[in-house]
Amino acid sequence: MTEKTDENLYFRHYPTERLMIASIDSKLNDQEKKLRRFFMNYTIEHGRSCNLENIGVEQLIPTGIKMTELKKWTQSLQEKIAISMDEDKNVNFIYPVSALPTHHRVTLADGRMFTAMCAIDAIGAAFTFKQDVVIDSMCSKCQTAVHVEVKDGKILKAQPEGLQILHVDLNKNDNWSGSC
């Protein structure tokens, strides 16, 4: 059975509610959004993970978060699966930004570059950063080079010709990036 949604999307095997998931940003309060943005920008600008123990007071000023609150807000972001940290307190993943190398290189319209957690996150970067993006990636199955350009929220160009993006039931996976 195929289900029709309000957005004219059709799903053959799943009800709409099962496949439509809330964005990470929609789950965050204003403080969490500011801290998430700080971690994304830090990672992009420095090309590495942000280590919580190396953050200075002056770096947090634009977020409005005090050093005494950093641990609380960081823990909240982890609980909401907006960031992932290692045991050394490195913020390695701030969806969609990966501080660790991946096959999914994103170039923002403002010229900054980063690697995304997965191919879908790379496309979603256009919406996260509210700007056009160019994605150079690789198929996780066959290793074919993939090039996608997103302009004004729409895919302008996709190579190879006939490129298709498959949606999986993300609600079944805890590690989304491992299946993309």
Side-chain angles (χ1 to χ4, degrees):
M1 177 175 174
T2 302
E3 179 175 329
K4 183 179 179 194
T5 71
D6 292 338
E7 298 173 356
N8 296 319
L9 299 175
Y10 298 91
F11 303 108
R12 181 177 297 178
H13 300 290
Y14 292 97
T16 305
E17 304 79 42
R18 177 93 176 148
L19 296 178
M20 305 299 274
I21 59 173
S23 70
I24 290 173
D25 192 66
S26 71
K27 300 175 188 178
L28 307 179
N29 66 35
D30 288 341
Q31 290 299 98
E32 292 164 334
K33 288 177 184 182
K34 288 177 186 175
L35 186 57
R36 176 178 174 238
R37 184 67 59 173
F38 167 79
F39 287 138
M40 284 191 288
N41 287 330
Y42 181 97
T43 300
I44 293 169
E45 291 165 15
H46 294 89
R48 61 181 162 82
S49 302
C50 181
N51 183 281
L52 289 185
E53 295 180 357
N54 295 329
I55 295 175
V57 175
E58 66 284 346
Q59 290 174 297
L60 286 179
I61 290 172
T63 68
I65 295 172
K66 298 177 181 158
M67 288 298 289
T68 55
E69 302 172 324
L70 181 60
K71 183 178 178 181
K72 173 185 86 168
W73 289 117
T74 301
Q75 183 175 344
S76 182
L77 286 173
Q78 283 184 286
E79 290 168 1
K80 293 180 179 181
I81 313 174
I83 66 169
S84 179
M85 291 177 31
D86 64 21
E87 61 279 351
D88 295 324
K89 298 185 181 177
N90 292 308
V91 180
N92 291 323
F93 307 109
I94 319 95
Y95 293 95
V97 177
S98 173
L100 305 180
T102 72
H103 292 295
H104 316 290
R105 175 154 300 285
V106 177
T107 303
L108 299 168
D110 66 17
R112 298 182 299 157
M113 295 171 43
F114 65 93
T115 58
M117 297 288 302
C118 71
I120 301 301
D121 282 342
I123 293 169
F127 302 96
T128 300
F129 291 96
K130 296 176 178 50
Q131 56 184 290
D132 299 338
V133 298
V134 174
I135 302 152
D136 290 296
S137 187
M138 181 183 300
C139 175
S140 61
K141 181 110 174 142
C142 69
Q143 310 304 309
T144 299
V146 173
H147 179 84
V148 176
E149 296 177 19
V150 179
K151 183 171 178 68
D152 299 325
K154 296 182 177 142
I155 295 177
L156 177 69
K157 182 179 184 181
Q159 293 176 325
E161 208 170 295
L163 175 69
Q164 295 182 11
I165 300 168
L166 301 177
H167 185 288
V168 298
D169 183 355
L170 294 176
N171 293 312
K172 288 171 56 174
N173 299 297
D174 290 331
N175 176 9
W176 295 353
S177 64
S179 62
C180 187

